[in-house]
Amino acid sequence: MVVKQVKHWLVARANAARWRSIQDWAEARGAEFTQTRDGLGFLVEARQAVPGPLRIEWGLSQRSYLPGTELRMRCEVGLHPDLQFMVLCRTLMENLERAVFEAYTDTLKTRVDTDTPEEMRWLVMFPKFNNASSQILRQRYGIVGVTKDLTGAWIEGELGEALVQASQDLLPEGHPFVLMCMRGNIYLRTEMGEADLPKLQGLVRLLECAARAAMRLNGRVADAGAWPTTTSIAFTPSTRPGDVY
């Protein structure tokens, strides 16, 4: 027991030094930085962030399609629940579509059940938006949403430009990445082998950009009354307490 405790302390101390720049950045933003209990990951919580409270986690992946460690983030903006969109790496989209097809044809299932992550369910449930004005957007990302009109309004403009820019360095071709608007919040999840401050900052900016784009649509949805709802709202997310999503 003593040896285990000493080993844990050494790991936590070493990682604290590795993540010092991230801790300094978080605290400069008025956020709280804490290590996970095992000392192998960290959590950043910025309760007063703009455009909404921000939660950042880095640690072991919670998704089978992201090997190793991942960065996951949530920005709470209180959006209309019918605002449901997703943009993801096109290679990942094709892999997930193949996995869904194989899983549910091999077992003769005719529906996607609640054990399947939203990322996979939405590829079956929602229409794809294939008319992005940018060729890079069309080539590098898969885009789906509750309606094509709303999805297009979300992805075009500032967010689309940010995704195109990110494809040049932050999100190289084939790098697993998912950005979602659901349950009133914006979520981002991506593979990240080592916690890297510049990449983390870039992804936070992308998340915030997606949040602003969704907030611009929020009033439009609320004023128009009932947009088409989706069965995904009825699903209960399969996450553990404290998870980003």
Side-chain angles (χ1 to χ4, degrees):
M1 179 64 72
V2 174
V3 173
K4 185 177 181 180
Q5 290 176 338
V6 170
K7 183 178 179 181
H8 179 275
W9 179 81
L10 290 173
V11 169
R13 184 176 181 180
N15 284 337
R18 288 169 55 204
W19 302 329
R20 186 68 200 185
S21 62
I22 295 175
Q23 181 175 353
D24 290 344
W25 167 80
E27 292 175 350
R29 289 171 59 104
E32 181 180 350
F33 177 97
T34 56
Q35 286 195 39
T36 56
R37 288 186 177 181
D38 58 12
L40 300 177
F42 62 77
L43 167 67
V44 174
E45 290 187 286
R47 297 179 179 84
Q48 304 301 320
V50 176
L54 178 66
R55 182 182 177 94
I56 303 169
E57 296 178 36
W58 182 87
L60 293 176
S61 174
Q62 298 174 355
R63 291 292 193 269
S64 60
Y65 60 78
L66 294 177
T69 53
E70 68 173 2
L71 178 75
R72 47 189 180 268
M73 302 191 292
R74 178 183 70 217
C75 182
E76 300 177 7
V77 281
L79 300 167
H80 193 288
D82 285 355
L83 286 175
Q84 298 181 87
F85 315 116
M86 176 173 68
V87 56
L88 71 169
C89 162
R90 179 163 289 277
T91 300
L92 176 59
M93 181 185 74
E94 293 169 353
N95 291 340
L96 293 180
E97 285 181 325
R98 190 178 305 112
V100 170
F101 177 80
E102 292 175 354
Y104 292 96
T105 54
D106 289 349
T107 59
L108 301 181
K109 290 186 178 180
T110 58
R111 65 183 180 86
V112 181
D113 60 33
T114 55
D115 291 332
T116 306
E118 279 103 341
E119 301 94 300
M120 299 176 73
R121 296 203 301 267
W122 285 17
L123 292 175
V124 176
M125 296 164 52
F126 287 156
K128 290 185 175 65
F129 179 74
N130 297 318
N131 300 319
S133 58
S134 165
Q135 183 178 359
I136 294 177
L137 272 180
R138 297 193 302 270
Q139 290 177 343
R140 297 288 293 276
Y141 301 101
I143 307 166
V144 302
V146 60
T147 70
K148 290 185 178 180
D149 287 344
L150 278 175
T151 306
W154 180 61
I155 203 72
E156 296 287 6
E158 180 189 11
L159 178 55
E161 292 171 3
L163 286 165
V164 169
Q165 181 60 42
S167 72
Q168 307 304 311
D169 48 21
L170 189 61
L171 298 171
E173 187 169 3
H175 185 82
F177 157 82
V178 179
L179 177 66
M180 302 178 75
C181 175
M182 63 179 180
R183 297 194 288 274
N185 303 320
I186 305 296
Y187 302 84
L188 187 151
R189 188 185 293 270
T190 187
E191 179 184 355
M192 182 176 283
E194 291 291 336
D196 179 87
L197 177 58
K199 289 182 180 179
L200 189 153
Q201 291 172 314
L203 291 166
V204 167
R205 288 192 292 268
L206 182 59
L207 182 80
E208 293 170 343
C209 179
R212 290 192 298 270
M215 290 171 69
R216 286 192 286 269
L217 287 177
N218 199 53
R220 170 179 162 184
V221 174
D223 294 342
W227 283 86
T229 58
T230 68
T231 54
S232 70
I233 297 175
F235 284 121
T236 300
S238 55
T239 56
R240 298 189 298 270
D243 289 346
V244 167
Y245 75 103

